Amino acid sequence: MTHPAYAALSATFTRLYRLGHLSAIAGWDQATMMPPKGNAARGAALAELQVLMHQTLTDPKLRSALDAAQTEALDAFEQASLREMRRAWDAANSLPESLVEAQSLATSKAEHAWRTQRPANDWAGFLENWGPVVALARQEAQLLSQARGISPYDALMDKYEPGMRSADIERLFAEIKTWLPGLIRAVRERQANEPARVPQGPFPVERQRALGLAVMQRLGFDFEGGRLDVSTHPFCGGVPEDVRVTTRYTEDDFTRSLMGIIHETGHARYEQNLPRAWVHLPVGQARSMGIHESQSLAFEMQLGRHPGFLAHLAPLLREHLGAQPALEPENLARLYTRVEPGLIRVDADELTYPAHIILRFEIERALIDGEIEAADVPALWDEKMRAYLDLDTRGNFRDGCMQDIHWPLGAFGYFPSYTLGALYAAQWFAAMRRETPELDRQIAAGELQTVFDWLHTHIWSQASLWPTETLVRRATDEALNPAHFRAHLEQRYLHA
Amino acid sequence: MTHPAYAALSATFTRLYRLGHLSAIAGWDQATMMPPKGNAARGAALAELQVLMHQTLTDPKLRSALDAAQTEALDAFEQASLREMRRAWDAANSLPESLVEAQSLATSKAEHAWRTQRPANDWAGFLENWGPVVALARQEAQLLSQARGISPYDALMDKYEPGMRSADIERLFAEIKTWLPGLIRAVRERQANEPARVPQGPFPVERQRALGLAVMQRLGFDFEGGRLDVSTHPFCGGVPEDVRVTTRYTEDDFTRSLMGIIHETGHARYEQNLPRAWVHLPVGQARSMGIHESQSLAFEMQLGRHPGFLAHLAPLLREHLGAQPALEPENLARLYTRVEPGLIRVDADELTYPAHIILRFEIERALIDGEIEAADVPALWDEKMRAYLDLDTRGNFRDGCMQDIHWPLGAFGYFPSYTLGALYAAQWFAAMRRETPELDRQIAAGELQTVFDWLHTHIWSQASLWPTETLVRRATDEALNPAHFRAHLEQRYLHA
């Protein structure tokens, strides 16, 4: 071996990848299969593994190996690989083991209790567990902030979206705020004259599941390397070799579950198509959560709500759910492009979704930076929901600040990734249309290979080879540009 | 802490318990949920965890702690706990890592090939992989034999049934051989005049599953701390806090799946009722495989095939599967007590099952002690099947010596645990009947609490507090006594 330090690092990160596999599968099981009395032992086992992985990442030998590898004659790939290893090392070495363990235990407890507290609208009960989660996240943010010389909130956001700062996010969100409210008003006026029929259920769970599987198949999900199951909060988990997608069903409405499955299938295809030869190294893993969301939103928003795609999907819906006027192509397109402010982020339409993110970003940044306390969140939530979407959420914690799994899990700094993902996704499709002017006709004909090939070439196969900004420039010849998102929305909602 | 060495040991074994949790859940997932392309990554992840646990157990600090704890003023419980820790330590530290690794590779190869060689009846192909498995098992047995001062085969058996020696097994089996063949003949003559109706399917999987869940509920399985799923080879896995029972269904026959579920529920209740306060230490875990099988067989054989229990189950069967004459109580009892020599161990009835075990014990002991070679096994198998069950197995390797997973996996010394379990189970019920003469009337009335309470008091709650022989004496006031098994069989099959 000509690069012994790099080789030693590769061996260590391969070990970490394998331990991470167990964490991912046990985590999936916890959300989908585990009976309630298993939770304490599961939490303890996962925390033990976290500690172990943290010990591996903080072993002084690893620092020496990183330094030694820096002096080896590495090729471009190995240099990128080393950069991502150092990023993982930095993240772990900025935090003491006691904090990592305390966070694992506190979030596991809060998330598990949240599952019953949310339906019970039990804010007081939730706050009891969530207070410690917030306090620990602030400690983490402080430590990372000192290590990186960036603000506490930025330090958390950097875990999900490397290189992105809240100043960037503020600039993007400020720009969006200048035109989105007007666009929403214009679209709602237009749609007032175009009522959509509501599909009449019940839609039995087994039929919805069969439909979901058929749609996943059409979207290229590899069932030899993954599954579809049920969890309270849908997610895409597991490992690249075995991707676990989840959804939830209600018998009176299939539309949300179906679009949720399409969303998670976007995440899943990214994972399933990461370069298998180096997926065990940080450089072979997904670039960032914003890029990850750009895949799920490419599937859900760009593709899934595309009138041509929906027309092509209509016969599949009739086959699984029976024929009814509401399942005709034109009505499907109206349903899935209906713009209507609502309480629930994951059910939001493409236009009002950014408001949900901006609200969460503003609240969690203030919370982490110490401007507000956990107990202040509901009032702030009510105020911003009134201001941004003109909705009353007072007393409704369940459909308010308790609705997302992110906060009980302590995943502060994640939310901006969703809107970044929507912006990226619009930019990907703008690039695709430049390269393939007949793209929309292809989609309407059910030919999705151009889309998949473009994403495979520019995103999936690139994993973490490049910093995010470079990845975006290589794929689209420009930096992140919110004009594509605006153009996409205006085209679909005003001019189509 | 007044006993620092013992406290340090407890912390280490708690860590091992938590890592074992992840191994158990990932192993369950592999057998029940995992899609095929996940297997290589799962194997690598589980192997990584095994290495890690082995390193923990072979850390020199652990030996010092064990020695230091020996000099601490431990109470009786801590002494028992220390004894079981040392047992776990011995097992890991008696073998060089090179042998452990060679065995892992050889058995993984043999077992993987066996999956296709068995259906193909390919003994020659199997022998190629199995020769090395046997050779390595002999090396292991030699090393353990020297370390413990017992025979090589005994050293392997001791892994599964601590304290049991082949001289004991021989004495037990020799005694059984004096009366069992005559009993089988007598029962078969009697049953020739009592034909059993075969239930007519199909029995839809969903109905069988609902029936299985209802029976588990009746048997006291705690669904808040466990699940029922499907796997190719049924097992009881997971962890005491979250027990995962599996079965397999065929639509034309519900009887095997149902009795399999009852069997695994016996294992499950043992695990679910291990003392929760010390389940994370070796002393809080199941006593031995023989004692474990005594729980599954207490449920399957003593209870599950009890005519009174079956009569009480009959309405439940009718409710889930529909009424038919074959589901009437008397016929159910005939079905589940039918005695008929067959080739396959796992399908054997209560009377012929011991013959399958005696045959395997005699062959594998000779093999490990070097009296025969792997190539001699089929001829010996044919000879013993002819002698014990009057069946011709010549040329039928698939349903002969290749039928079990134990040998390709190198699990020599395990088989006696099955018949020990049957003997123990009969002894438990004899003790219960002495204490509660109305036991059989209770069972027929569906009152199972006396059975559960007895098992809880004498077995489940005792975990590994006592050596097996002490556990048996404390529970039944005598040592293991095969007369109870004989009396049980004669009572049920001749005198009832």
Side-chain angles (χ1 to χ4, degrees):
Chain A
M1 184 58 67
T2 52
H3 308 136
Y6 177 77
L9 288 169
S10 295
T12 300
F13 279 96
T14 301
R15 269 188 69 218
L16 286 166
Y17 182 70
R18 291 173 178 165
L19 297 179
H21 175 122
L22 298 170
S23 178
I25 295 299
W28 169 86
D29 182 272
Q30 192 172 29
T32 56
M33 298 286 156
M34 190 189 73
K37 287 185 185 168
N39 197 55
R42 180 66 50 86
L46 285 170
E48 193 70 58
L49 192 65
Q50 283 309 112
V51 166
L52 222 146
M53 293 173 72
H54 188 256
Q55 283 171 344
T56 305
L57 271 168
T58 53
D59 187 325
K61 276 184 296 207
L62 202 57
R63 159 173 257 156
S64 321
L66 283 165
D67 291 343
Q70 209 75 48
T71 69
E72 292 176 336
L74 303 181
D75 64 21
F77 170 80
E78 291 163 333
Q79 284 175 33
S81 178
L82 184 60
R83 178 194 71 225
E84 296 302 320
M85 288 173 180
R86 189 172 281 281
R87 196 179 130 68
W89 185 89
D90 277 342
N93 283 270
S94 308
L95 303 174
E97 188 175 315
S98 58
L99 178 62
V100 173
E101 192 180 5
Q103 283 187 304
S104 176
L105 290 170
T107 58
S108 174
K109 186 178 170 199
E111 189 267 331
H112 192 256
W114 166 80
R115 291 189 213 174
T116 46
Q117 287 164 341
R118 188 193 166 200
N121 201 36
D122 178 13
W123 165 254
F126 178 72
L127 187 58
E128 252 176 68
N129 296 321
W130 196 49
V133 170
V134 171
L136 290 164
R138 283 175 171 176
Q139 282 182 43
E140 179 193 355
Q142 276 300 336
L143 289 167
L144 293 176
S145 162
Q146 285 154 16
R148 307 253 192 301
I150 52 181
S151 84
Y153 183 76
D154 282 4
L156 294 186
M157 197 168 62
D158 195 76
K159 297 197 294 181
Y160 308 109
E161 202 55 30
M164 190 63 71
R165 301 289 170 257
S166 41
D168 304 317
I169 300 289
E170 266 164 22
R171 202 161 39 242
L172 290 167
F173 287 0
E175 204 276 336
I176 291 171
K177 276 175 163 178
T178 63
W179 51 265
L180 191 58
L183 180 59
I184 291 174
R185 268 192 307 279
V187 172
R188 296 198 70 203
E189 272 167 35
R190 179 180 164 168
Q191 291 187 344
N193 308 316
E194 295 171 342
R197 285 171 187 266
V198 175
Q200 297 302 308
F203 304 102
V205 166
E206 268 317 305
R207 300 240 183 107
Q208 288 192 54
R209 178 175 152 78
L211 171 64
L213 292 172
V215 171
M216 288 171 79
Q217 190 100 49
R218 191 162 289 191
L219 290 172
F221 184 87
D222 179 2
F223 284 98
E224 296 272 291
R227 297 175 50 94
L228 171 67
D229 295 278
V230 170
S231 70
T232 312
H233 193 282
F235 65 96
C236 173
V239 292
E241 301 89 342
D242 178 3
V243 173
R244 305 288 174 97
V245 166
T246 73
T247 187
R248 62 184 160 202
Y249 303 104
T250 52
E251 297 225 321
D252 59 335
D253 176 25
F254 72 88
T255 61
R256 290 190 287 182
S257 177
L258 177 62
M259 206 45 86
I261 286 174
I262 293 174
H263 177 98
E264 302 303 341
T265 302
H267 284 306
R269 290 216 64 192
Y270 188 10
E271 291 289 314
Q272 288 190 326
N273 288 283
L274 288 167
R276 205 49 60 90
W278 19 292
V279 75
H280 55 287
L281 299 177
V283 70
Q285 290 152 24
R287 173 62 280 180
S288 75
M289 293 325 296
I291 298 298
H292 230 311
E293 293 300 334
S294 84
Q295 300 311 295
S296 52
L297 295 173
F299 275 55
E300 180 194 345
M301 298 300 185
Q302 296 294 327
L303 207 50
R305 290 165 202 262
H306 190 294
F309 177 81
L310 286 167
H312 196 74
L313 222 54
L316 208 57
L317 267 67
R318 283 199 299 274
E319 182 189 319
H320 284 88
L321 307 176
Q324 57 172 284
L327 301 190
E328 290 305 310
E330 199 191 343
N331 192 67
L332 277 180
R334 285 185 180 188
L335 274 173
Y336 275 124
T337 55
R338 181 74 16 182
V339 174
E340 188 162 11
L343 298 177
I344 305 297
R345 174 184 61 85
V346 296
D347 295 337
D349 58 80
E350 209 171 355
L351 266 74
T352 59
Y353 198 106
H356 292 272
I357 296 306
I358 293 172
L359 170 153
R360 284 159 176 76
F361 164 71
E362 291 171 351
I363 292 176
E364 69 178 15
R365 202 192 40 167
L367 188 62
I368 293 301
D369 288 349
E371 296 159 18
I372 61 167
E373 296 306 319
D376 303 329
V377 167
L380 210 53
W381 188 283
D382 295 341
E383 181 193 319
K384 287 178 186 287
M385 278 304 271
R386 170 66 69 200
Y388 299 162
L389 292 174
D390 198 25
L391 293 171
D392 184 358
T393 50
R394 285 172 299 177
N396 187 355
F397 309 103
R398 175 173 44 199
D399 300 327
C401 60
M402 282 175 73
Q403 72 182 259
D404 297 302
I405 198 171
H406 304 63
W407 285 352
L409 278 183
F412 302 102
Y414 188 107
F415 282 119
S417 300
Y418 291 109
T419 290
L420 288 174
L423 304 184
Y424 287 134
Q427 191 159 334
W428 308 151
F429 272 75
M432 281 181 226
R433 285 192 181 90
R434 281 199 304 273
E435 292 169 30
T436 309
E438 66 276 22
L439 186 78
D440 294 283
R441 280 197 302 276
Q442 288 182 358
I443 291 172
E447 294 162 18
L448 307 178
Q449 204 54 46
T450 302
V451 174
F452 299 153
D453 286 346
W454 193 96
L455 294 173
H456 191 282
T457 301
H458 297 285
I459 311 295
W460 304 341
S461 68
Q462 302 303 295
S464 288
L465 264 186
W466 321 100
T468 315
E469 209 187 322
T470 311
L471 179 81
V472 176
R473 282 187 184 279
R474 288 175 59 96
T476 65
D477 288 327
E478 61 179 329
L480 175 58
N481 177 359
H484 297 295
F485 182 57
R486 181 179 186 178
H488 155 69
L489 294 179
E490 290 179 347
Q491 163 61 25
R492 178 174 289 172
Y493 289 85
L494 282 188
H495 308 315
Chain B
M1 184 59 66
T2 52
H3 307 137
Y6 177 78
L9 288 170
S10 295
T12 300
F13 279 96
T14 301
R15 269 188 71 219
L16 285 166
Y17 181 71
R18 290 174 178 166
L19 297 179
H21 175 121
L22 298 170
S23 178
I25 295 300
W28 169 85
D29 182 272
Q30 191 172 30
T32 56
M33 297 287 157
M34 190 190 72
K37 287 185 184 168
N39 198 52
R42 181 66 49 85
L46 285 170
E48 194 70 56
L49 193 66
Q50 283 312 114
V51 166
L52 223 146
M53 293 173 74
H54 189 257
Q55 283 170 347
T56 306
L57 270 169
T58 54
D59 186 324
K61 276 185 294 207
L62 202 56
R63 157 172 259 156
S64 321
L66 283 166
D67 292 343
Q70 209 73 49
T71 69
E72 292 177 336
L74 302 181
D75 64 22
F77 170 79
E78 291 164 331
Q79 284 174 32
S81 178
L82 184 59
R83 178 194 70 225
E84 296 301 319
M85 288 174 180
R86 190 172 280 282
R87 200 180 127 67
W89 185 88
D90 277 342
N93 285 270
S94 303
L95 302 174
E97 202 167 313
S98 58
L99 178 62
V100 173
E101 192 183 2
Q103 282 188 305
S104 171
L105 290 170
T107 57
S108 167
K109 187 179 169 195
E111 191 266 332
H112 188 261
W114 167 79
R115 290 186 214 174
T116 46
Q117 287 163 342
R118 188 193 166 200
N121 202 36
D122 178 11
W123 165 253
F126 178 71
L127 187 57
E128 254 176 67
N129 295 321
W130 197 46
V133 169
V134 171
L136 290 164
R138 283 174 171 175
Q139 282 182 42
E140 179 192 356
Q142 276 300 336
L143 287 167
L144 294 175
S145 164
Q146 284 153 17
R148 309 253 194 298
I150 53 180
S151 84
Y153 182 76
D154 284 4
L156 294 186
M157 198 168 62
D158 197 77
K159 296 197 294 181
Y160 308 110
E161 202 55 28
M164 189 61 71
R165 301 290 171 256
S166 42
D168 306 316
I169 300 288
E170 266 165 23
R171 202 160 41 242
L172 291 166
F173 287 0
E175 204 276 335
I176 291 171
K177 275 175 161 181
T178 62
W179 52 264
L180 190 58
L183 180 60
I184 291 174
R185 267 192 306 278
V187 172
R188 295 198 72 204
E189 273 167 34
R190 180 180 165 170
Q191 292 188 344
N193 307 317
E194 295 171 341
R197 285 171 187 267
V198 175
Q200 297 302 309
F203 303 103
V205 166
E206 267 318 304
R207 299 242 185 104
Q208 289 192 54
R209 178 175 153 78
L211 171 64
L213 292 171
V215 172
M216 287 172 78
Q217 189 99 49
R218 193 162 289 190
L219 290 171
F221 184 88
D222 180 2
F223 284 98
E224 296 272 292
R227 298 175 49 94
L228 171 67
D229 295 278
V230 170
S231 69
T232 313
H233 300 283
F235 64 96
C236 172
V239 293
E241 301 89 342
D242 178 3
V243 174
R244 306 287 173 98
V245 166
T246 74
T247 187
R248 62 183 159 204
Y249 303 103
T250 52
E251 298 224 320
D252 59 335
D253 176 27
F254 72 87
T255 60
R256 288 194 286 183
S257 177
L258 177 61
M259 206 44 86
I261 285 173
I262 293 174
H263 178 99
E264 302 303 341
T265 302
H267 285 304
R269 289 217 64 192
Y270 189 9
E271 292 288 315
Q272 287 190 326
N273 288 284
L274 289 168
R276 205 48 61 90
W278 18 291
V279 74
H280 55 288
L281 300 177
V283 70
Q285 291 153 25
R287 174 62 282 181
S288 74
M289 294 323 298
I291 298 298
H292 230 309
E293 292 299 333
S294 85
Q295 299 312 296
S296 53
L297 294 173
F299 275 56
E300 180 194 345
M301 297 300 185
Q302 297 293 328
L303 208 51
R305 289 165 203 263
H306 190 293
F309 178 81
L310 286 167
H312 196 73
L313 223 52
L316 208 56
L317 266 65
R318 281 199 300 274
E319 182 189 319
H320 285 88
L321 306 176
Q324 58 172 284
L327 301 190
E328 291 305 310
E330 199 190 342
N331 192 66
L332 278 180
R334 286 185 180 188
L335 274 174
Y336 275 124
T337 55
R338 183 74 14 181
V339 174
E340 187 161 12
L343 298 177
I344 305 297
R345 174 183 62 84
V346 295
D347 294 337
D349 58 79
E350 204 173 0
L351 265 74
T352 59
Y353 198 103
H356 292 271
I357 296 304
I358 293 172
L359 169 153
R360 284 160 177 75
F361 164 71
E362 292 171 349
I363 292 175
E364 69 177 17
R365 201 197 41 170
L367 189 63
I368 293 301
D369 287 350
E371 296 160 20
I372 60 166
E373 296 304 321
D376 303 330
V377 167
L380 211 54
W381 188 283
D382 295 340
E383 181 192 317
K384 287 176 187 288
M385 278 304 271
R386 168 67 67 197
Y388 300 163
L389 292 174
D390 198 24
L391 293 172
D392 185 356
T393 49
R394 284 172 300 175
N396 187 355
F397 309 103
R398 174 172 47 200
D399 300 327
C401 61
M402 282 174 72
Q403 72 181 261
D404 297 303
I405 199 172
H406 304 61
W407 283 353
L409 277 184
F412 302 102
Y414 189 105
F415 281 120
S417 300
Y418 291 111
T419 290
L420 289 173
L423 303 184
Y424 288 134
Q427 190 159 335
W428 308 151
F429 273 76
M432 283 180 223
R433 286 192 179 89
R434 281 200 305 274
E435 293 170 29
T436 309
E438 65 277 21
L439 185 78
D440 295 283
R441 279 195 303 276
Q442 289 182 358
I443 290 172
E447 294 162 17
L448 306 178
Q449 205 53 47
T450 302
V451 174
F452 300 152
D453 286 346
W454 193 96
L455 294 174
H456 190 282
T457 302
H458 297 284
I459 311 295
W460 304 341
S461 68
Q462 302 302 295
S464 289
L465 262 187
W466 321 99
T468 315
E469 206 186 323
T470 311
L471 178 83
V472 176
R473 281 188 184 279
R474 289 175 59 96
T476 65
D477 287 327
E478 60 179 328
L480 175 58
N481 177 0
H484 298 296
F485 183 56
R486 180 180 186 175
H488 155 67
L489 295 179
E490 289 179 348
Q491 164 61 24
R492 177 173 290 174
Y493 289 85
L494 283 188
H495 307 317

